[in-house]
Amino acid sequence: MTARLGPHLKASALVLPLVLFLALFFVWPIIAMLKQSVSDPVVHNTLSQTSAIAAQWNGKTPVPAALQDALVADIRATTDRQEMGAVVRRLNSAKSGFRTLMRKTRRAIRKTDGPINLGEVDKRWNEVAWWHTIAQASSPYTDRYLLAALDYGRDKHNQIVALPEDVSANRTILARTFVISLSVMLSCLAIGLPFAMVIASTSGWLRNVLLAAVLLPLWTSLLVRTTAWFIILQNNGLINSALQALGITDQPIPLIFERTGVIIAMTHVLLPFMVLPIYSVLLSMPGNLMQAASSLGAHPIVAFLKVMLPLSARGIASGSLLVFMSSIGYYITPALIGGPSDQMISSVIAFYATESANWGMAGALGLVLLSITLLLYVVYGRLSAEKKGVA
């Protein structure tokens, strides 16, 4: 028994550093980021007495006097300006006007140590809507960010409703991300399928040269490739200079800060991920299928559509999914080459994470993107398994 466990322990010891590395620098950051998408402890931790009473209030009955007293006690007990500032920002983001309301209320509470009627301090405290906002924000966990990531929210009756068009445009940006990714996928397919067929039909040094041409972009930094396209696509860049020199155009074609330039640059970067899966499938096929179809009287186009294309369908599907999965998370290329209307969902995630410091929204959008990627990865894995089974 000990002799059997020896090789397994040695194999586990060899894999352990990789497992620890993935757990510390990949799994744990993702879990921490996703936790931010459902975590909302600011109001719960600072206004603890208010949160406890608000959890028992159903929101339909009049506001309990104990809830108002608890809010006064919490505001009076909170001396840290940063904590109270975080609470005000959280409430004001849910309902505009809380900043001035809380400032006025805190000022009135500081002037006296005895009981205070909030309705006399400001008439807005007599409206149930303001207390609904506090009650909804009092839970340490929330679906607010996840709903907002898809342009939804909760109304005063705690029902899920669509947000106004001028409040959020995340669904529009998600749709734009899918459109750009689909365009890149189709461009890679239009270029990659014929190129993979050419590589599979050659042999010797010529095949090695063609494969090197496909793999060369993978050996170059993504930032370097994107910067090169930024120079090439300019009005006085290589493409426009060549078109004007040949007399094809009289003036530069707008390619930089346009979606066309984004698709061109991303196609160049992701083309190997389309070519290699198709090439691997074509390489396992007999090389005389097209000749056999032609000898039986089939037109080359008919032979391609009825013989070559169905047999290479798994490689096409795998390459298409691989390119699509990679492109939906692109950030550098659209940010440098695209315009404001070409930014993808990754740019919005970066904005929430770095500029507005809204980690909840960044985590929620990241969760949406991760869910889509995992779903596509499952499809890709099944296609790869079927391809291996056929082989």
Side-chain angles (χ1 to χ4, degrees), residues 313-330:
R314 289 188 178 86
I316 294 173
S318 298
S320 299
L321 284 172
L322 196 57
V323 170
F324 190 84
M325 285 190 298
S326 301
S327 59
I328 59 176
Y330 255 56

PDB file of all heavy atoms in Angstrom, residues 313-330:
ATOM      1  N   ALA A 313     -16.127  21.193 -40.093  1.00  0.00           N
ATOM      2  CA  ALA A 313     -17.071  22.008 -39.309  1.00  0.00           C
ATOM      3  C   ALA A 313     -16.668  22.090 -37.844  1.00  0.00           C
ATOM      4  O   ALA A 313     -16.813  23.140 -37.210  1.00  0.00           O
ATOM      5  CB  ALA A 313     -18.478  21.427 -39.431  1.00  0.00           C
ATOM      6  N   ARG A 314     -16.150  20.991 -37.283  1.00  0.00           N
ATOM      7  CA  ARG A 314     -15.761  21.032 -35.874  1.00  0.00           C
ATOM      8  C   ARG A 314     -14.594  21.967 -35.647  1.00  0.00           C
ATOM      9  O   ARG A 314     -14.532  22.685 -34.647  1.00  0.00           O
ATOM     10  CB  ARG A 314     -15.420  19.625 -35.386  1.00  0.00           C
ATOM     11  CG  ARG A 314     -16.626  18.705 -35.258  1.00  0.00           C
ATOM     12  CD  ARG A 314     -16.257  17.396 -34.597  1.00  0.00           C
ATOM     13  NE  ARG A 314     -17.430  16.557 -34.433  1.00  0.00           N
ATOM     14  CZ  ARG A 314     -17.903  15.732 -35.357  1.00  0.00           C
ATOM     15  NH1 ARG A 314     -17.282  15.648 -36.526  1.00  0.00           N
ATOM     16  NH2 ARG A 314     -18.979  15.015 -35.134  1.00  0.00           N
ATOM     17  N   GLY A 315     -13.651  21.983 -36.550  1.00  0.00           N
ATOM     18  CA  GLY A 315     -12.540  22.919 -36.427  1.00  0.00           C
ATOM     19  C   GLY A 315     -12.993  24.357 -36.574  1.00  0.00           C
ATOM     20  O   GLY A 315     -12.523  25.252 -35.868  1.00  0.00           O
ATOM     21  N   ILE A 316     -13.939  24.583 -37.491  1.00  0.00           N
ATOM     22  CA  ILE A 316     -14.485  25.939 -37.672  1.00  0.00           C
ATOM     23  C   ILE A 316     -15.229  26.384 -36.417  1.00  0.00           C
ATOM     24  O   ILE A 316     -15.060  27.521 -35.957  1.00  0.00           O
ATOM     25  CB  ILE A 316     -15.414  25.975 -38.901  1.00  0.00           C
ATOM     26  CG1 ILE A 316     -14.607  25.738 -40.180  1.00  0.00           C
ATOM     27  CG2 ILE A 316     -16.154  27.289 -38.979  1.00  0.00           C
ATOM     28  CD1 ILE A 316     -15.462  25.586 -41.423  1.00  0.00           C
ATOM     29  N   ALA A 317     -16.044  25.486 -35.863  1.00  0.00           N
ATOM     30  CA  ALA A 317     -16.792  25.842 -34.654  1.00  0.00           C
ATOM     31  C   ALA A 317     -15.853  26.105 -33.478  1.00  0.00           C
ATOM     32  O   ALA A 317     -16.041  27.068 -32.721  1.00  0.00           O
ATOM     33  CB  ALA A 317     -17.775  24.729 -34.315  1.00  0.00           C
ATOM     34  N   SER A 318     -14.827  25.248 -33.316  1.00  0.00           N
ATOM     35  CA  SER A 318     -13.876  25.445 -32.219  1.00  0.00           C
ATOM     36  C   SER A 318     -13.116  26.755 -32.375  1.00  0.00           C
ATOM     37  O   SER A 318     -12.959  27.522 -31.417  1.00  0.00           O
ATOM     38  CB  SER A 318     -12.903  24.266 -32.162  1.00  0.00           C
ATOM     39  OG  SER A 318     -13.581  23.061 -31.907  1.00  0.00           O
ATOM     40  N   GLY A 319     -12.631  27.027 -33.587  1.00  0.00           N
ATOM     41  CA  GLY A 319     -11.909  28.274 -33.822  1.00  0.00           C
ATOM     42  C   GLY A 319     -12.788  29.494 -33.642  1.00  0.00           C
ATOM     43  O   GLY A 319     -12.356  30.507 -33.077  1.00  0.00           O
ATOM     44  N   SER A 320     -14.031  29.411 -34.082  1.00  0.00           N
ATOM     45  CA  SER A 320     -14.947  30.544 -33.950  1.00  0.00           C
ATOM     46  C   SER A 320     -15.238  30.845 -32.486  1.00  0.00           C
ATOM     47  O   SER A 320     -15.216  32.009 -32.054  1.00  0.00           O
ATOM     48  CB  SER A 320     -16.254  30.256 -34.697  1.00  0.00           C
ATOM     49  OG  SER A 320     -16.018  30.054 -36.073  1.00  0.00           O
ATOM     50  N   LEU A 321     -15.511  29.797 -31.699  1.00  0.00           N
ATOM     51  CA  LEU A 321     -15.756  30.010 -30.279  1.00  0.00           C
ATOM     52  C   LEU A 321     -14.524  30.536 -29.564  1.00  0.00           C
ATOM     53  O   LEU A 321     -14.607  31.392 -28.688  1.00  0.00           O
ATOM     54  CB  LEU A 321     -16.220  28.707 -29.632  1.00  0.00           C
ATOM     55  CG  LEU A 321     -17.664  28.299 -29.904  1.00  0.00           C
ATOM     56  CD1 LEU A 321     -17.931  26.902 -29.375  1.00  0.00           C
ATOM     57  CD2 LEU A 321     -18.624  29.290 -29.270  1.00  0.00           C
ATOM     58  N   LEU A 322     -13.345  30.033 -29.948  1.00  0.00           N
ATOM     59  CA  LEU A 322     -12.114  30.474 -29.307  1.00  0.00           C
ATOM     60  C   LEU A 322     -11.851  31.948 -29.596  1.00  0.00           C
ATOM     61  O   LEU A 322     -11.479  32.719 -28.704  1.00  0.00           O
ATOM     62  CB  LEU A 322     -10.948  29.619 -29.797  1.00  0.00           C
ATOM     63  CG  LEU A 322      -9.650  29.670 -28.991  1.00  0.00           C
ATOM     64  CD1 LEU A 322      -9.923  29.276 -27.541  1.00  0.00           C
ATOM     65  CD2 LEU A 322      -8.609  28.754 -29.604  1.00  0.00           C
ATOM     66  N   VAL A 323     -12.069  32.362 -30.832  1.00  0.00           N
ATOM     67  CA  VAL A 323     -11.878  33.767 -31.190  1.00  0.00           C
ATOM     68  C   VAL A 323     -12.914  34.638 -30.499  1.00  0.00           C
ATOM     69  O   VAL A 323     -12.600  35.717 -29.973  1.00  0.00           O
ATOM     70  CB  VAL A 323     -11.956  33.940 -32.722  1.00  0.00           C
ATOM     71  CG1 VAL A 323     -12.006  35.413 -33.100  1.00  0.00           C
ATOM     72  CG2 VAL A 323     -10.761  33.282 -33.382  1.00  0.00           C
ATOM     73  N   PHE A 324     -14.159  34.190 -30.481  1.00  0.00           N
ATOM     74  CA  PHE A 324     -15.229  34.979 -29.848  1.00  0.00           C
ATOM     75  C   PHE A 324     -14.984  35.133 -28.353  1.00  0.00           C
ATOM     76  O   PHE A 324     -15.148  36.223 -27.794  1.00  0.00           O
ATOM     77  CB  PHE A 324     -16.575  34.312 -30.106  1.00  0.00           C
ATOM     78  CG  PHE A 324     -17.752  35.146 -29.702  1.00  0.00           C
ATOM     79  CD1 PHE A 324     -18.260  36.104 -30.557  1.00  0.00           C
ATOM     80  CD2 PHE A 324     -18.356  34.974 -28.461  1.00  0.00           C
ATOM     81  CE1 PHE A 324     -19.355  36.886 -30.189  1.00  0.00           C
ATOM     82  CE2 PHE A 324     -19.442  35.742 -28.086  1.00  0.00           C
ATOM     83  CZ  PHE A 324     -19.937  36.700 -28.953  1.00  0.00           C
ATOM     84  N   MET A 325     -14.592  34.041 -27.682  1.00  0.00           N
ATOM     85  CA  MET A 325     -14.326  34.109 -26.251  1.00  0.00           C
ATOM     86  C   MET A 325     -13.179  35.055 -25.944  1.00  0.00           C
ATOM     87  O   MET A 325     -13.209  35.794 -24.956  1.00  0.00           O
ATOM     88  CB  MET A 325     -14.008  32.714 -25.702  1.00  0.00           C
ATOM     89  CG  MET A 325     -15.202  31.807 -25.545  1.00  0.00           C
ATOM     90  SD  MET A 325     -14.805  30.303 -24.624  1.00  0.00           S
ATOM     91  CE  MET A 325     -13.596  29.563 -25.703  1.00  0.00           C
ATOM     92  N   SER A 326     -12.165  35.047 -26.783  1.00  0.00           N
ATOM     93  CA  SER A 326     -11.007  35.914 -26.548  1.00  0.00           C
ATOM     94  C   SER A 326     -11.340  37.375 -26.814  1.00  0.00           C
ATOM     95  O   SER A 326     -10.847  38.269 -26.112  1.00  0.00           O
ATOM     96  CB  SER A 326      -9.838  35.472 -27.431  1.00  0.00           C
ATOM     97  OG  SER A 326      -9.472  34.137 -27.183  1.00  0.00           O
ATOM     98  N   SER A 327     -12.167  37.630 -27.801  1.00  0.00           N
ATOM     99  CA  SER A 327     -12.410  39.013 -28.209  1.00  0.00           C
ATOM    100  C   SER A 327     -13.377  39.745 -27.286  1.00  0.00           C
ATOM    101  O   SER A 327     -13.293  40.975 -27.158  1.00  0.00           O
ATOM    102  CB  SER A 327     -12.951  39.050 -29.646  1.00  0.00           C
ATOM    103  OG  SER A 327     -14.149  38.313 -29.752  1.00  0.00           O
ATOM    104  N   ILE A 328     -14.294  39.054 -26.615  1.00  0.00           N
ATOM    105  CA  ILE A 328     -15.269  39.758 -25.780  1.00  0.00           C
ATOM    106  C   ILE A 328     -14.607  40.398 -24.562  1.00  0.00           C
ATOM    107  O   ILE A 328     -15.187  41.318 -23.961  1.00  0.00           O
ATOM    108  CB  ILE A 328     -16.416  38.826 -25.321  1.00  0.00           C
ATOM    109  CG1 ILE A 328     -15.880  37.643 -24.530  1.00  0.00           C
ATOM    110  CG2 ILE A 328     -17.252  38.386 -26.498  1.00  0.00           C
ATOM    111  CD1 ILE A 328     -16.971  36.755 -23.972  1.00  0.00           C
ATOM    112  N   GLY A 329     -13.429  39.952 -24.204  1.00  0.00           N
ATOM    113  CA  GLY A 329     -12.750  40.543 -23.058  1.00  0.00           C
ATOM    114  C   GLY A 329     -11.616  41.472 -23.424  1.00  0.00           C
ATOM    115  O   GLY A 329     -10.827  41.849 -22.548  1.00  0.00           O
ATOM    116  N   TYR A 330     -11.527  41.882 -24.690  1.00  0.00           N
ATOM    117  CA  TYR A 330     -10.413  42.727 -25.129  1.00  0.00           C
ATOM    118  C   TYR A 330     -10.555  44.142 -24.578  1.00  0.00           C
ATOM    119  O   TYR A 330     -11.652  44.700 -24.528  1.00  0.00           O
ATOM    120  CB  TYR A 330     -10.335  42.750 -26.654  1.00  0.00           C
ATOM    121  CG  TYR A 330      -9.200  41.904 -27.170  1.00  0.00           C
ATOM    122  CD1 TYR A 330      -9.115  40.576 -26.816  1.00  0.00           C
ATOM    123  CD2 TYR A 330      -8.209  42.438 -27.987  1.00  0.00           C
ATOM    124  CE1 TYR A 330      -8.077  39.788 -27.272  1.00  0.00           C
ATOM    125  CE2 TYR A 330      -7.158  41.651 -28.433  1.00  0.00           C
ATOM    126  CZ  TYR A 330      -7.102  40.328 -28.081  1.00  0.00           C
ATOM    127  OH  TYR A 330      -6.063  39.550 -28.515  1.00  0.00           O
TER     128      TYR A 330
END
